[in-house]
Amino acid sequence: MALSPVPVSMSPPYSTPELQRPAVAPDTPLQRTLREQQTLLDSAGVGIVFLRQRSVVRCNQRYAEIFGYPSAERLVGLNTEAFYPNRDAFQELGRSAYPVLALGQSFRVERQLRRCDGSLFWGSLTGRLINPQDTTEGSIWILDDINEQKRAQAALNAAVREKQLLFDSAMVGIVFLRNRYLTRCNDHFEQMLGYQPGELMGSSSRRWYASDEAWEEVGQRCYPSLAAGIPYEGEVELCRKDGTPVICEVRSKPIDPAAPAQGSIWITMDITERKQAQAALARAHEDLEQQVQDRTRELRETVDNLHREINDRKADQERIYWLAHYDALTGLPNRALLSERAEQAIRVAQEGNTPLALIFLDLDHFKHVNDSLGHRVGDALLVEIAKRLRAVVRDKDTVSRLGGDEFILLLPGANAHGAARVAGKLQEASRQHYQIDHHELTMAPSMGIALFPQDGVDFDTLTQSADVAMYRAKLDGRNTFRFFTPEMQAESVRALQLENALRRALEREQFYLHYQPQMSLSTGSVHSVEALLRWQHPQLGGISPAEFIPIAEDSGQILQIGEWVLRTALAQLKDWRSNGFPHLTMAVNLSAIQFRQPQLPEMVSRMLAEFDLPPDSLELELTEGVAVDDPHAAVATMDQLHARGVRMSMDDFGTGYSSLSQLKRFQIFKLKIDQSFVRDLGNDVNDRAIVSAIIRMAQALGMRTTAEGVETEGQLAYLREQGCDEAQGYHLSTPLPPAELEVFMRQHSDMVQAVHYKN
């Protein structure tokens, strides 16, 4: 700030007293004046400085202390720009001050200044020119450090704002009264009584009472206490602007107990509805109490909230860990935790040269439960199965659910004998039924066992080996267990190869059908043929249906393949019936998965209509197991097909466990006697008795019979003698391509006609 300095003569000398005046000479008036001036400067409680040409000519000790300098001498000659935060601030002060100073007036301002250590502080500056007619004489400035005052003012302003925010945001009515007239209230009080903002200002409190009597009664009840400086608490009935009553809980106290004339403050809360609900009253009371708590209570609540948040986060972390390592349905370890425990168990087994076994367990036909009873029952069943599995094994063993109906048991220290014993216990436990709601369910497991280290040295390999062994257990009849062998691995690779090839076999037209005739034993004519699926792969060659059909069923591809078989067979039947075989019927095998599809009856009817074929020209062959696994669903599906006119036969009859009580409920047109009974008819008395019994039973139930696998004339003769209706087998004809079978049927038809004509 470019201001003129004071005259040099005003600056007291800063040398020692001996140098300032002769020891013997008396004080001159000027010396006394300068000494008095210096005493005044040193005694002042504010900083005083004389400036000339923006530099310090002289200052008192307080001025130096404010800027953090040890002595006033250190500031002499210092450019005053160093006292400001930056050049812009320095120049801006000069621009503001000069017009005022030039008029001979004092310039006052509050500005941020900078101490010698670089820290900023607020100072109050008052400046004046020594001689307004000659600015070169400089200026004098008085500085007061108001930094703490500024801080206190900021804190005060913040407290006032917080108080006003509390006042405006409070969910209670707050009213200031003086001589029972309203001097101030918050919005909530006006809204509670139905008034517009500011409408009550200056009003008598009588305005919100229903009557003079009510107003007087409240005054008699409250004001004696307030006059004595005692707060009042109670309930009063006020009146809204529209005349409706509102019961309020009020708290009142004098603003200054020593001066009652200053009035009182009233806090009101509408408790009309709360009177009807005690619980709501308690909560509202707590809210009111919370709003009048002081800062200490607020800080305590904040700390409590922080503690709760820490505890909640800890609980969340524990929950996250649980979800990441345990199955949400059964509470069993999931694959992630199983993998960790398996790696640890493998290390222990390696270091201690101890055995280790892993059992892969899959529930047989569990999907039937979900499909027939719903997923809620299925989930409840899985929970009970998990409990039973845990009860069988030791504490150090791990039972894990991979998902669906697949479980893995990790058995540290178990050799082949120990693993087999555990598998046996699991089988025994599975024989006891599960009671889920009103359902009694039995669920058998198929299990595969892998041993460390011969079947794998890591968790993934052991799991894969046990999975392969489990698949073999399913192929071997289910409800059993198998140990892993290298041969199984080769078969598993083959199965995977076939599964991958199956996915493209249909679109690459690798499937085709052969047909085997079913011959009437009474007339010798061919009334029906059975469609048999064949697969010719360009690299793998011909693949047996016994090998690829189970794979197609497990992978779900059987639905598309089965639909193709049905469509192709019906198209061929349409062709034959249009070309000389008008009464020929077609038998098509259905897999269990196809039979369980709800849309099966509709699909069959749609295809028959597509080829304009009568329903009784189609015969759907079902295995005995399809009907036995879920007889209620089987009956429902059979009834729908029967109602549409489609015939059904039970294939491989006698190999399952169906009871006569179930059989009589099924809409079965024909029983097909399994070839295992037909094969030894010539030398096995038991087989002859079984075949004879099946034929008699079918006749009694009004069903036809077809014998499969007829390979000799003796077998054919016995079947004809027992009254069997039809036969098929290599003795009559092998499965043939369509063209060859057509030739066979024409030749056979000619032979039958010739014999008939001869007779």
Side-chain angles (χ1 to χ4, degrees), residues 12 22 30 48 66 93 108-109 172 178 262 280 288 301 385 462 507 530 542 560 589 592 597 615 637 648 669 733:
L30 175 61
I48 303 174
I66 290 175
L93 180 63
R108 295 179 178 83
V109 72
V172 295
R178 181 177 298 170
Q262 292 189 16
L288 181 62
E301 289 178 352
I385 289 173
L462 282 173
E507 66 181 70
E530 180 180 3
Q560 288 181 312
N589 288 280
Q597 292 302 304
T637 303
M648 285 158 286
F669 171 72
S733 173

Side-chain angles (χ1 to χ4, degrees), residues 331-362:
L332 294 176
N334 62 12
R335 186 180 184 90
L337 182 56
L338 174 65
S339 178
E340 294 177 7
R341 293 184 180 180
E343 291 175 0
Q344 181 181 2
I346 289 172
R347 284 196 300 270
V348 172
Q350 287 174 331
E351 295 169 359
N353 195 25
T354 55
L356 172 66
L358 187 144
I359 299 179
F360 196 114
L361 184 149
D362 183 271

Side-chain angles (χ1 to χ4, degrees), residues 128-148:
R128 191 178 183 91
L129 290 176
I130 296 173
N131 184 0
Q133 282 71 40
D134 185 4
T135 60
T136 61
E137 292 186 18
S139 59
I140 181 170
W141 292 80
I142 298 173
L143 170 64
D144 192 6
D145 186 346
I146 62 170
N147 204 51
E148 291 303 320

Side-chain angles (χ1 to χ4, degrees), residues 259-503:
Q262 292 189 16
S264 57
I265 179 172
W266 296 72
I267 298 176
T268 63
M269 176 178 289
D270 183 352
I271 60 170
T272 306
E273 295 182 1
R274 201 176 65 186
K275 294 288 286 184
Q276 302 172 0
Q278 188 61 36
L281 176 62
R283 288 194 298 270
H285 183 70
E286 291 174 2
D287 290 341
L288 181 62
E289 288 295 325
Q290 290 175 2
Q291 291 183 22
V292 297
Q293 295 299 321
D294 56 19
R295 287 300 187 93
T296 303
R297 172 65 180 275
E298 292 176 0
L299 291 175
R300 184 165 60 250
E301 289 178 352
T302 300
V303 172
D304 291 341
N305 289 335
L306 289 174
H307 284 307
R308 282 194 296 271
E309 183 177 350
I310 292 171
N311 293 333
D312 290 344
R313 289 186 179 181
K314 185 177 180 180
D316 290 342
Q317 290 174 349
E318 293 174 353
R319 177 64 176 168
I320 291 171
Y321 177 86
W322 191 91
L323 291 174
H325 292 82
Y326 289 89
D327 174 52
L329 176 64
T330 63
L332 294 176
N334 62 12
R335 186 180 184 90
L337 182 56
L338 174 65
S339 178
E340 294 177 7
R341 293 184 180 180
E343 291 175 0
Q344 181 181 2
I346 289 172
R347 284 196 300 270
V348 172
Q350 287 174 331
E351 295 169 359
N353 195 25
T354 55
L356 172 66
L358 187 144
I359 299 179
F360 196 114
L361 184 149
D362 183 271
L363 302 174
D364 296 335
H365 306 301
F366 178 77
K367 187 175 183 298
H368 297 179
V369 176
N370 282 338
D371 292 343
S372 59
L373 302 180
H375 287 277
R376 186 187 64 80
V377 174
D379 288 348
L381 178 59
L382 287 173
V383 171
E384 294 304 315
I385 289 173
K387 293 179 182 177
R388 196 170 292 183
L389 292 178
R390 279 196 296 253
V392 169
V393 301
R394 304 164 299 179
D395 290 341
K396 68 178 181 178
D397 298 329
T398 296
V399 179
S400 170
R401 179 181 178 228
L402 294 189
D405 60 338
E406 293 182 340
F407 298 84
I408 285 184
L409 286 76
L410 182 67
L411 311 176
N415 54 19
H417 178 72
R421 186 170 64 253
V422 172
K425 289 183 179 180
L426 294 174
Q427 283 184 304
E428 181 179 352
S430 69
R431 295 189 185 99
Q432 303 175 20
H433 73 268
Y434 296 90
Q435 187 69 42
I436 307 297
D437 294 339
H438 59 279
H439 304 287
E440 282 192 3
L441 304 174
T442 301
M443 192 57 53
S446 292
M447 294 169 282
I449 303 175
L451 302 175
F452 174 85
Q454 56 265 42
D455 298 334
V457 295
D458 57 58
F459 172 64
D460 289 337
T461 306
L462 282 173
T463 302
Q464 182 180 2
S465 299
D467 189 10
V468 170
M470 183 275 296
Y471 185 74
R472 170 51 63 90
K474 284 189 176 293
L475 293 178
D476 289 350
R478 305 179 185 269
N479 192 18
T480 186
F481 64 89
R482 291 290 182 268
F483 282 91
F484 174 79
T485 64
E487 291 76 18
M488 291 181 186
Q489 182 63 34
E491 294 173 2
S492 176
V493 172
R494 165 77 172 177
L496 180 60
Q497 185 181 27
L498 291 181
E499 181 179 344
N500 291 331
L502 265 176
R503 299 186 187 281

Side-chain angles (χ1 to χ4, degrees), residues 577-692:
R577 289 175 73 103
S578 301
N579 290 279
F581 303 97
H583 303 295
L584 188 67
T585 61
M586 178 68 69
V588 178
N589 288 280
L590 283 183
S591 73
I593 295 177
Q594 287 176 276
F595 187 68
R596 296 190 192 101
Q597 292 302 304
Q599 64 272 25
L600 174 66
E602 191 277 331
M603 182 189 72
V604 170
S605 294
R606 187 177 67 252
M607 285 194 183
L608 287 169
E610 179 182 343
F611 294 105
D612 193 23
L613 291 169
D616 60 0
S617 66
L618 176 62
E619 182 181 306
L620 297 177
E621 294 190 0
L622 316 172
T623 62
E624 191 174 355
V626 171
V628 174
D629 289 341
D630 191 353
H632 296 291
V635 168
T637 303
M638 288 182 183
D639 287 344
Q640 291 187 55
L641 290 169
H642 180 73
R644 296 167 187 260
V646 178
R647 293 174 174 176
M648 285 158 286
S649 63
M650 185 170 288
D651 197 13
D652 302 333
F653 185 76
T655 60
Y657 300 94
S658 59
S659 66
L660 293 178
S661 63
Q662 292 175 336
L663 185 62
K664 71 180 182 180
R665 298 164 54 199
F666 298 152
Q667 297 288 353
I668 296 297
F669 171 72
K670 181 192 297 183
L671 296 181
K672 297 191 71 175
I673 305 170
D674 188 68
Q675 61 182 343
S676 62
F677 302 121
V678 176
R679 185 181 303 114
D680 295 327
L681 282 178
N683 51 24
D684 191 316
V685 177
N686 291 331
D687 283 346
R688 293 165 70 93
I690 291 173
V691 169
S692 177

